């Protein structure tokens, strides 16, 4: 909904890979800052906070500057607000 030319973009991608799988039920929240992804205590705090709020990230990735979480699209806004309160 937030990409005005998504249909055109998707058509171009499917020309490259006709078997492209698309998951519109998932969204991603990323937390960005120096050292975030390299500090295990931050990741534990994030996971614990989300679970206590009843939110269930399905997948997580980290880099030294970032933690990214995949959640149901219905959980993205709640997770974003919670993480902002927890970390800012």
């Amino acid at each position: 909904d937030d990409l005005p030319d998504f249909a055109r973009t998707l058509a171009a991608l499917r020309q490259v890979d006709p078997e492209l799988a698309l998951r519109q039920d998932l969204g991603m929240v990323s937390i960005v800052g120096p050292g975030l992804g390299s500090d295990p205590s931050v990741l534990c705090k994030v996971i614990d906070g989300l679970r206590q709020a009843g939110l269930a990230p399905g997948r997580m990735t980290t880099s030294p500057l970032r933690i990214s979480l995949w959640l149901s699209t219905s959980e993205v806004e709640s997770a974003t607000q919670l993480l902002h309160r927890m970390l800012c």
Side-chain angles (χ1 to χ4, degrees):
D1 293 346
D2 59 349
L3 299 173
D5 63 348
F6 181 69
R8 187 172 57 104
T9 302
L10 183 57
L13 290 169
R14 289 228 163 102
Q15 284 182 339
V16 175
D17 183 359
E19 296 181 30
L20 175 71
L22 179 67
R23 296 281 311 264
Q24 292 185 324
D25 60 322
L26 295 178
M28 183 171 55
V29 175
S30 291
I31 308 158
V32 181
L36 278 176
S38 58
D39 184 346
S41 67
V42 174
L43 184 57
C44 289
K45 179 179 179 178
V46 165
I47 293 168
D48 187 51
L50 291 170
R51 289 193 176 144
Q52 285 184 24
L55 304 171
R59 181 177 179 185
M60 294 169 264
T61 59
T62 64
S63 75
L65 295 173
R66 174 184 49 76
I67 298 172
S68 293
L69 308 144
W70 279 261
L71 301 117
S72 166
T73 54
S74 64
E75 296 178 332
V76 168
E77 186 172 343
S78 297
T80 301
Q81 292 172 0
L82 174 67
L83 293 170
H84 190 267
R85 284 192 308 272
M86 288 173 54
L87 301 171
C88 293

